[in-house]
């Protein structure tokens, strides 16, 4: 493993992918579980990683989907506590894995990287707060719409087209993410599908027009 970050590796993704070791996960394979002792930091090179946690009654709540270009696991590297969530591959996924102590060394001697870590964690906290607020104030259809728009914005950063975006997510995963039942989520998707805003298929949802979807959400709010 290299001893220092190259000049072009000035982002969190650059640090982890440059210094980390490559590993491959199969679809459904668990990288780490909630409560595990581990402080490694990961970067998604290709594929998808689902971040989730279990409620006291055993229900899975999806916290996020990590796509190529994103880093995760830095919280345990910073506080050295057990994993707060479970990470599993939703498809064949290639990751870069970097030891937590190496990651902290790079961050501590590079103020710009420390700032990026703070901004990244702040963004995650803001998104989590927004989802908590919408669960208490918005109906399922609005929550589903907001999440689809959020996912499109995330996936579009790594897409080669500005047209429709296909999201590799199932209706069960979507329901768990917005904190609703599968039936209510399916009805919400049917509403957007009827309006020509999305298409649904096996383990995927295609957003046809994100701008019109955003306008539909506003009308329903």
């Amino acid at each position: 493993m290299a001893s220092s970050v190259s000049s072009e590796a000035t982002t969190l993704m650059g640090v982890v992918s440059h210094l980390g070791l490559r590993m491959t996960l199969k679809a459904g394979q668990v990288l780490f579980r909630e409560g595990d002792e581990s402080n490694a930091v990961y970067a998604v090179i290709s594929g998808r990683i689902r971040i989730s946690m279990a409620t006291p009654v055993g229900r899975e709540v999806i916290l996020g989907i990590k796509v190529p270009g994103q880093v995760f696991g830095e919280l345990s590297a910073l506080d050295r506590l057990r994993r707060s969530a479970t990470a599993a591959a939703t498809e064949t996924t290639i990751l870069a894995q970097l030891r937590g102590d190496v990651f902290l060394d790079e961050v501590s001697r590079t103020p710009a990287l420390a700032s990026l870590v703070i901004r990244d964690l702040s963004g995650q906290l803001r998104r989590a707060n927004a989802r908590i607020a919408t669960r208490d104030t918005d109906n399922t259809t609005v929550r589903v719409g907001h999440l689809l728009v959020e996912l499109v914005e995330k996936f579009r950063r790594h897409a080669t087209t500005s047209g429709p975006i296909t999201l590799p997510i199932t209706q069960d995963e979507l329901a768990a993410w917005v904190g609703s039942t599968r039936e209510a989520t399916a009805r919400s998707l049917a509403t957007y599908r009827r309006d020509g805003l999305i298409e649904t298929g096996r383990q995927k949802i295609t957003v046809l027009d994100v701008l019109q979807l955003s306008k539909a959400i506003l009308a329903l709010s």
Side-chain angles (χ1 to χ4, degrees):
M1 185 167 60
S3 60
S4 63
V5 179
S6 61
S7 59
E8 66 271 14
T10 56
T11 65
L12 295 181
M13 177 67 188
V15 170
V16 181
S17 62
H18 181 76
L19 297 180
L21 300 176
R22 294 295 190 271
M23 62 184 299
T24 301
L25 300 179
K26 297 179 180 179
Q29 186 175 349
V30 175
L31 177 62
F32 55 76
R33 295 187 183 278
E34 185 178 352
D36 282 355
E37 290 186 350
S38 170
N39 65 0
V41 181
Y42 301 89
V44 183
I45 307 301
S46 66
R48 305 283 187 271
I49 292 290
R50 180 179 64 196
I51 309 296
S52 65
M53 63 186 304
T55 67
V57 296
R59 178 183 176 188
E60 182 189 40
V61 176
I62 297 178
L63 303 178
I65 300 288
K66 298 300 181 180
V67 300
Q70 291 191 305
V71 171
F72 64 98
E74 64 271 42
L75 186 60
S76 289
L78 292 171
D79 62 20
R80 300 183 183 277
L81 298 179
R82 293 175 182 268
R83 294 295 185 185
S84 59
T86 296
T90 63
E91 59 188 85
T92 300
T93 299
I94 298 176
L95 302 172
Q97 179 187 38
L98 182 63
R99 291 202 327 262
D101 59 332
V102 177
F103 177 77
L104 289 179
D105 283 346
E106 294 297 334
V107 170
S108 64
R109 65 188 181 193
T110 312
L113 290 177
S115 179
L116 287 174
V117 171
I118 293 171
R119 289 207 300 269
D120 182 65
L121 293 176
S122 296
Q124 293 182 43
L125 180 59
R126 286 179 181 275
R127 288 190 293 273
N129 288 342
R131 290 198 190 104
I132 291 172
T134 58
R135 286 190 182 191
D136 292 335
T137 59
D138 293 331
N139 60 45
T140 297
T141 302
V142 172
R143 297 204 304 272
V144 166
H146 278 306
L147 181 56
L148 291 177
V149 170
E150 179 184 330
L151 290 175
V152 165
E153 292 172 348
K154 178 183 294 186
F155 278 68
R156 180 160 282 167
R157 290 197 294 268
H158 309 283
T160 58
T161 176
S162 59
I165 294 291
T166 297
L167 307 171
I169 185 172
T170 67
Q171 293 188 24
D172 286 334
E173 290 172 332
L174 194 62
W177 208 334
V178 300
S180 187
T181 64
R182 189 185 190 283
E183 292 73 17
T185 301
R187 288 194 296 271
S188 299
L189 290 173
T191 297
Y192 294 130
R193 187 171 55 243
R194 185 179 61 246
D195 293 339
L197 301 173
I198 68 168
E199 291 179 350
T200 56
R202 188 174 183 273
Q203 298 186 338
K204 65 181 181 180
I205 299 170
T206 300
V207 177
L208 303 174
D209 191 327
V210 68
L211 179 58
Q212 291 303 316
L213 177 58
S214 298
K215 291 180 178 179
I217 295 168
L218 289 175
L220 291 169
S221 299

